[in-house]
Amino acid sequence: MKPQPYAPSNPAAKTTESSSHRIQVVINQPPQKAKEPQTMAENVRITANAGLANVFDELERLIGLQEAKRTMYEIYALLRMNQEREKHKLRIEKQVYHMVFKGNPGTGKTTVARIVGKICKEMGILSKGHLIEVERADLVGEFIGHTAQKTRDLIKKAMGGILFIDEAYSLARGGEKDFGKEAIDCLTKAMEDQKTEFICILAGYTDEMEEFLQINPGLPSRFPIQIHFHDYNVDDLMRISDLIITEKEYALSEAARDKLRHQLIRVKNDPFLFNFSNARYVRNMLEQAIRTHAVRMVKVHEPTVEQLMTIKAEDLVF
């Protein structure tokens, strides 16, 4: 008898045979719900376009400034709801976004003003979003009629963006016959006639700005948004110093950090120190430390990377 060739068993057949006796249990789980946003920052990331979300991220990265952040989220929420109201043919009123920023130097007023311009451009409030930063000398002329012309020219440059007037209260310091009053009158008229074409932000010390707003009965109503920029505490100032020093590719030694913290505590608790310059004070100290560090390093032959980067306590001079 001729031997039969070897034929392996059919595994598929076995599988089919054995699987016929199995009981399969299929559990249908309900679909997972998307996590609801917990903060306005998360809400913006989900609902805003990429450009606007990026600008709000820039705002969020700023240390402190909770009142300014909250105000910008309110404006965003209002614009979003106006879009929804428009779908249902509900009434929408044009908003005025002229602002007053009150606070000591170095509390982020100019930085926030720049971000406000970017946010308003992304939201369609402004066509350009650029910032024109001016002070009294840029607005006030030397003879009758000169001030009005200078002010109108700057307003024209600010069209589609923001006119940021620092130390705005100085416009009222010369009294009734001073040309500063002419600048205020010209500005007030432009804000009424072209109120949706640019945003005016007045900035300065808290008390002085509150007094300034009382000199003209029409001023407070033209600035519906007023934001107080609080002084930073010591922890916030240390975080700001870390950002500044890292950006410059330096590092503070532990001894330097301790010395800086003790200095900040001292000046913050000084009863005779008025109008503390906050982040500006920290930046100036660190820039001085970098210069002192450079003088120290000049004496070192072929310094290492660590030596070139490390700011020591001795470099901090107060």
Side-chain angles (χ1 to χ4, degrees):
M1 183 181 207
K2 187 176 180 180
Q4 296 295 320
Y6 172 74
S9 61
N10 187 345
K14 284 189 177 181
T15 303
T16 305
E17 182 181 351
S18 60
S19 62
S20 63
H21 300 290
R22 291 179 185 165
I23 298 175
Q24 294 185 341
V25 179
V26 178
I27 300 175
N28 291 321
Q29 294 183 343
Q32 295 288 327
K33 288 185 178 180
K35 185 180 178 183
E36 292 291 331
Q38 300 297 311
T39 65
M40 274 300 296
E42 292 176 359
N43 201 305
V44 168
R45 290 190 193 100
I46 293 172
T47 58
N49 62 55
L52 183 55
N54 287 337
V55 181
F56 268 105
D57 281 342
E58 185 181 347
L59 178 66
E60 275 297 318
R61 285 194 295 271
L62 297 178
I63 293 168
L65 304 173
Q66 296 308 314
E67 188 172 334
K69 292 174 182 178
R70 183 177 67 249
T71 301
M72 294 316 299
Y73 284 128
E74 288 173 357
I75 292 173
Y76 168 77
L78 178 63
L79 264 293
R80 283 275 302 164
M81 287 308 99
N82 279 349
Q83 291 172 355
E84 296 301 318
R85 289 174 63 86
E86 195 171 18
K87 291 178 185 177
H88 297 281
K89 296 183 171 33
L90 293 172
R91 181 175 176 179
I92 298 172
E93 293 187 3
K94 292 235 176 187
Q95 296 286 318
V96 176
Y97 298 101
H98 301 307
M99 306 178 187
V100 174
F101 288 0
K102 297 180 282 188
N104 283 331
T107 48
K109 296 187 292 295
T110 307
T111 301
V112 169
R114 289 194 182 96
I115 294 177
V116 167
K118 295 178 186 178
I119 289 175
C120 289
K121 179 182 183 298
E122 290 292 338
M123 290 195 296
I125 297 171
L126 296 173
S127 59
K128 298 178 182 177
H130 64 297
L131 182 82
I132 301 295
E133 185 177 356
V134 302
E135 54 187 22
R136 177 188 164 91
D138 301 306
L139 296 167
V140 178
E142 299 174 357
F143 49 84
I144 295 174
H146 190 207
T147 295
Q149 186 59 50
K150 289 180 74 174
T151 304
R152 281 194 292 266
D153 288 344
L154 287 168
I155 291 171
K156 187 176 179 180
K157 287 182 181 178
M159 283 296 156
I162 290 177
L163 181 64
F164 182 83
I165 306 177
D166 199 14
E167 297 185 0
Y169 47 80
S170 63
L171 292 172
R173 283 186 169 169
E176 284 294 318
K177 295 183 180 180
D178 183 71
F179 291 139
K181 185 177 182 298
E182 188 179 355
I184 296 170
D185 293 340
C186 183
L187 181 64
T188 303
K189 185 176 187 307
M191 289 168 57
E192 183 61 33
D193 296 344
Q194 300 156 305
K195 55 189 173 186
T196 61
E197 297 176 45
F198 78 107
I199 292 175
C200 180
I201 299 179
L202 306 182
Y205 296 116
T206 302
D207 293 341
E208 286 86 340
M209 287 306 301
E210 289 176 355
E211 290 176 11
F212 170 70
L213 291 172
Q214 302 308 314
I215 66 167
N216 186 321
L219 278 179
S221 62
R222 285 177 170 80
F223 292 91
I225 301 172
Q226 299 192 20
I227 302 174
H228 186 214
F229 287 70
H230 299 275
D231 285 347
Y232 291 108
N233 60 36
V234 172
D235 288 339
D236 283 344
L237 290 171
M238 288 301 298
R239 290 170 63 199
I240 290 170
S241 72
D242 288 336
L243 289 176
I244 293 171
I245 210 75
T246 301
E247 186 181 69
K248 296 178 181 293
E249 293 192 341
Y250 285 87
L252 294 171
S253 69
E254 285 303 314
R257 285 183 60 81
D258 290 342
K259 186 175 181 179
L260 177 58
R261 177 177 285 276
H262 289 145
Q263 172 66 6
L264 291 173
I265 292 171
R266 188 187 70 78
V267 295
K268 287 283 290 178
N269 292 328
D270 186 348
F272 301 104
L273 181 65
F274 298 100
N275 300 325
F276 174 58
S277 60
N278 289 277
R280 195 176 301 168
Y281 178 82
V282 171
R283 180 175 291 278
N284 290 341
M285 279 201 306
L286 293 175
E287 288 178 352
Q288 172 62 59
I290 289 171
R291 294 195 296 272
T292 306
H293 167 270
V295 172
R296 180 167 60 82
M297 283 295 99
V298 164
K299 303 170 187 176
V300 179
H301 180 62
E302 294 186 1
T304 64
V305 172
E306 184 178 358
Q307 287 176 315
L308 289 170
M309 292 183 64
T310 304
I311 301 295
K312 293 185 175 182
E314 62 195 87
D315 298 323
L316 289 164
V317 181
F318 307 128

